[in-house]
């Protein structure tokens, strides 16, 4: 029915007026000097005025949580007993005990008839109006009547625990005569494991007025569970305890109640979201965490479909549902879309309880972990791309061993990843002992400085040596060290070649500047010496021979200078290397014979044809073989070998049995003016290197002190 605007306004005004009247009545009621209380059917305080709070010595907030019977512990009354007595008389005097332990005689005056189950009483303190003897007599008689007829077991005992009085109910429970109970100590009746708890209960009565708990009482030599309430009487000289035996059904109910309470507390305080739903998928119970995770109120969740928040019903979701139907439980992760459109990854565990008609699912928000893992995966991909894509070798290692190496590193070290990871660092270093000292020194410097760089010549199993530059940073991440390394052998060779090339340029410039200046005066000197030799009397042939020999030597040096100074116009033809070698050996055979040296030849194939300028190659062979002859003053043999080196080169080896050359000196071979001979200039080897370079070949030198030197000349089959 629709109300008109005028009627609705009138009702609102009446309601406002009634509320003001209620407030006015409450103010009047609260300001009355007489104590007034209002109780419901269960004798709970529903209203008290200030005078009643003063009389009962209890704040209003605390009284509204109590019952009237809480003040009638001296003469306990149930709700029905208090009500029936009050109904027969308008006035009733009751003995009440305050929370301080004090006793008061209060007269209860019922005001009017009960209204909506609530009754108003006016209270009056008549403690001083009744003589103490009569009060004590009446109170004792009333107490004794109730004490003896009470259904609950009641015991009175003094401060030392000696039992003063027991009622019939307690005698019946113990099944022994009263005379065998009175005079005993209460602790004699309590089981051993509850004695300390009972003594603690006695102490707590002083602060709490009434204490409730559970103990075990010995009945026929067997412990039985009882609930009890404990209070102190007048002056705290006597204690009264009311016992009720717990039957098996009571214990089960209590356990169920406790379990339900514990479950309810755990359920609502759990940090994981817990949802109960029926076989139709409808949610009927959720906890606080579920509301928080699903960004919804409890009202919105209850009654909704359990799977409606799933972001997409993809194959993974269908597989989980199949597993749930088959195994009645499932565990996994799903992406959910919340009502506020937020995307979350939830870890869930679902279990079906078919017989009980409900299912439970526990959710945990792992979105943060998901995002972190995603960032880690992206970071790992970036790191892996950089790690694998860099041209430098990278190794991650610690004191226990190697954890990773990139593809470039495997190529530089000539070892597979699986094989490297099978070694400890110590085992790998000692694999070739010749490398151990330098590598251990590098590691020590890393531990000392945190980061260290060095170039170390590394010898491999096949005897090859690579110069590798190592840069190591200690404890880069998670106790892992990072070593970056690269093969700088070619760089060092290139630097050496550049240095030699710079020297050659300087020598070339010097040669161009002085060769012609020296040659012209030398021609004049040579002519005049010949004239002088013919015209001088006396035997000066020895002197003239020395002068002529030295002039020829100067001409040879000038000729070599001119070779370095400018490129020669060369014509290359197909020539057999063996033919050139044989012609060279014939030229030097006489000198070898004088030095007691034999030539030993070993040609792998019958013929090796290369594009070359024969005279220049012959000059190279002469320079190197003459050097071999000069370093063998005690005679011996010089071996000349040829062999095919791969499909592109022929290798000519000239091996002597001289004193050998040290490693440091070996590095300087081919430099101008560097020689191991007393009267050498170093230009012979320098010219030889240049000639072989112009033939697109190269020279390698091996030497061991006291054992000899080997020159390996590599020439290409095609130029």
């Amino acid at each position: 029915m629709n109300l008109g605007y005028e009627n609705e306004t009138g009702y609102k005004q009446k309601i406002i007026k009634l509320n003001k009247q209620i407030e006015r009545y409450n103010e009047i009621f609260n300001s009355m000097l007489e104590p007034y209380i209002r109780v419901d059917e269960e004798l709970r305080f529903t209203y008290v005025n200030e005078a009643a709070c003063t009389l009962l010595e209890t704040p209003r907030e605390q009284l509204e949580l109590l019952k009237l019977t809480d003040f009638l512990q001296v003469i306990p009354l149930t709700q029905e007993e208090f009500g029936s007595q009050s109904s027969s008389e308008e006035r009733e005097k009751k003995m009440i005990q305050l929370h301080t332990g004090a006793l008061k005689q209060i007269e209860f005056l019922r005001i009017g008839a009960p209204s909506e189950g609530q009754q108003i009483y006016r209270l009056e303190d008549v403690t001083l109006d009744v003589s103490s003897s009569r009060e004590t007599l009446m109170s004792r008689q009333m107490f004794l009547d109730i004490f003896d007829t009470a259904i609950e077991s009641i015991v009175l005992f003094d401060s030392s625990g000696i039992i003063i009085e027991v009622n019939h109910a307690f005698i019946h429970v113990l099944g022994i005569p009263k005379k065998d109970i009175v005079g005993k100590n209460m602790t004699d009746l309590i089981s051993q494991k509850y004695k300390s708890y009972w003594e603690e209960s006695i102490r707590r009565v002083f602060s709490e007025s009434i204490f409730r708990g559970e103990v075990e009482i010995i009945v026929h030599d067997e412990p039985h569970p009882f609930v009890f309430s404990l209070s102190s009487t007048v002056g705290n000289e006597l204690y009264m305890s009311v016992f009720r035996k717990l039957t098996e059904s009571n214990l089960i109910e209590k356990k169920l109640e406790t379990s339900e309470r514990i479950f309810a507390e755990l359920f609502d305080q759990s940090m994981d979201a817990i949802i109960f739903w029926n076989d139709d998928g409808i949610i009927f119970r959720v906890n606080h965490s579920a509301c928080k995770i699903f960004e919804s109120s409890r009202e919105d969740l209850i009654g909704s479909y359990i799977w409606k928040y799933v972001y997409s019903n993809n194959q993974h979701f269908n597989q989980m549902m199949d597993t749930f139907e088959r195994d009645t439980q499932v565990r996994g992760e799903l992406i959910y879309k919340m009502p506020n459109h937020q995307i979350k990854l939830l870890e869930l565990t679902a279990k079906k309880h078919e017989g009980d008609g409900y299912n439970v699912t526990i959710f945990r928000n792992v979105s943060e972990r998901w995002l972190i893992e995603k960032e880690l995966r992206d970071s790992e991909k970036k790191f892996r791309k950089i790690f694998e894509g860099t041209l430098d070798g990278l190794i991650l290692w610690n004191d226990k061993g190697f954890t990773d190496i990139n593809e470039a590193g495997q190529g530089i070290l000539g070892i597979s990843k699986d094989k490297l990871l099978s070694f400890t660092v110590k085992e790998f270093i000692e694999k070739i002992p010749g490398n151990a000292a330098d590598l251990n020194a590098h590691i020590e410097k890393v531990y000392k400085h945190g980061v260290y760089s060095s170039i170390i010549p590394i010898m491999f199993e096949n005897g090859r040596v690579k110069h590798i530059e190592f840069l190591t940073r200690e404890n880069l991440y998670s106790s892992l060290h990072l070593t970056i390394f690269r093969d700088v052998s070619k760089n060092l060779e290139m630097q050496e070649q550049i240095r030699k090339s710079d020297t050659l340029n300087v020598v070339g410039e010097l040669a161009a500047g002085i060769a012609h200046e020296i040659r012209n005066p030398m021609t004049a000197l040579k002519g005049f010496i010949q004239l002088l030799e013919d015209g001088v009397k006396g035997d000066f042939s020895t002197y003239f021979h020395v002068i002529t020999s030295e002039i020829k030597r100067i001409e040879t040096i000038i000729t070599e200078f001119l070779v370095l100074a400018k490129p020669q116009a060369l014509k290359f033809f197909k020539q057999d290397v063996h033919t050139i070698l044989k012609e060279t050996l014939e030229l030097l055979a006489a000198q070898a014979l004088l030095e007691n040296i034999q030539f030993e030849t070993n040609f792998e194939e019958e013929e090796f044809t290369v594009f070359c300028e024969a005279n220049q190659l012959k000059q190279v062979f002469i320079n190197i073989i003459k050097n071999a002859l000069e370093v063998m003053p005690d005679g011996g043999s010089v071996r000349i070998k040829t062999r095919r080196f791969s499909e592109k080169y022929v290798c000519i080896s000239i091996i002597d049995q001289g004193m050998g050359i040290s490693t440091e000196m070996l590095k300087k071979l081919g430099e101008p003016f560097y020689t191991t001979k007393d009267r050498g200039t170093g230009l012979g080897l320098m010219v030889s290197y240049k000639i072989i370079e112009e033939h697109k070949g190269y020279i390698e030198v091996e030497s061991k002190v006291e054992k000899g030197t080997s020159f390996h000349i590599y020439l290409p089959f095609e130029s």
Side-chain angles (χ1 to χ4, degrees), residues 102-113:
L103 297 176
K104 286 186 178 182
Q105 186 79 14
I106 303 297
E107 184 179 78
F108 291 78
L109 176 61
R110 186 170 58 184
I111 306 298

Side-chain angles (χ1 to χ4, degrees), residues 676-694:
T676 59
K677 295 183 291 186
D678 294 337
R679 292 174 57 82
T681 62
L683 294 175
L685 274 182
M686 187 175 179
V687 171
S688 299
Y689 274 91
K690 184 172 180 62
I691 291 171
I692 297 301
E693 184 180 340
E694 289 174 350

Side-chain angles (χ1 to χ4, degrees), residues 8 74 94 128 158 200 393 403 427 440 444 581 717:
E8 184 178 354
V74 177
K94 304 291 182 186
L128 299 177
D158 62 16
E200 176 64 21
T403 60
E427 289 172 346
N440 285 326
E444 288 177 5
L581 280 171
F717 289 116

Side-chain angles (χ1 to χ4, degrees), residues 5-16:
Y5 177 79
E6 294 180 356
N7 291 338
E8 184 178 354
T9 304
Y11 287 142
K12 287 183 178 179
Q13 291 175 348
K14 287 182 179 180
I15 290 171
I16 293 171

Side-chain angles (χ1 to χ4, degrees), residues 125-177:
D125 187 358
V126 295
T127 305
L128 299 177
D129 298 336
V130 181
S131 65
S132 59
S133 60
R134 183 179 178 185
E135 176 188 339
T136 303
L137 180 62
M138 289 179 63
S139 297
R140 179 174 177 79
Q141 187 59 46
M142 290 174 63
F143 171 75
L144 290 176
D145 289 343
I146 298 171
F147 180 81
D148 231 15
T149 58
I151 299 174
E152 307 288 357
S153 301
I154 305 175
V155 181
L156 290 175
F157 55 93
D158 62 16
S159 58
S160 62
I162 302 300
I163 298 175
I164 306 300
E165 187 65 77
V166 295
N167 68 349
H168 289 297
F170 191 73
I171 296 170
H172 177 72
V173 167
L174 293 187
I176 56 177

Side-chain angles (χ1 to χ4, degrees), residues 15 165 200 326 366 417 470 513 582 614 664 690 695:
I15 290 171
E165 187 65 77
E200 176 64 21
R326 183 183 67 251
V366 293
K417 180 177 179 179
F470 293 92
K582 289 175 182 177
E664 293 299 322
K690 184 172 180 62
H695 282 73

Side-chain angles (χ1 to χ4, degrees), residues 607-641:
E607 185 179 79
F608 282 123
T609 303
V610 297
F611 281 97
C612 66
E613 206 290 316
N615 289 328
Q616 284 205 337
L617 280 189
K618 193 178 294 184
Q619 183 179 351
V620 171
F621 296 151
I622 290 173
N623 287 341
I624 295 175
I625 295 174
K626 281 184 68 176
N627 286 343
L629 297 176
E630 292 172 359
V631 297
M632 297 170 60
D634 299 329
S637 62
V638 176
R639 289 184 293 157
I640 298 92
K641 298 166 54 178

Side-chain angles (χ1 to χ4, degrees), residues 62 149 297 531:
Q62 188 175 347
T149 58
S297 65
L531 292 174

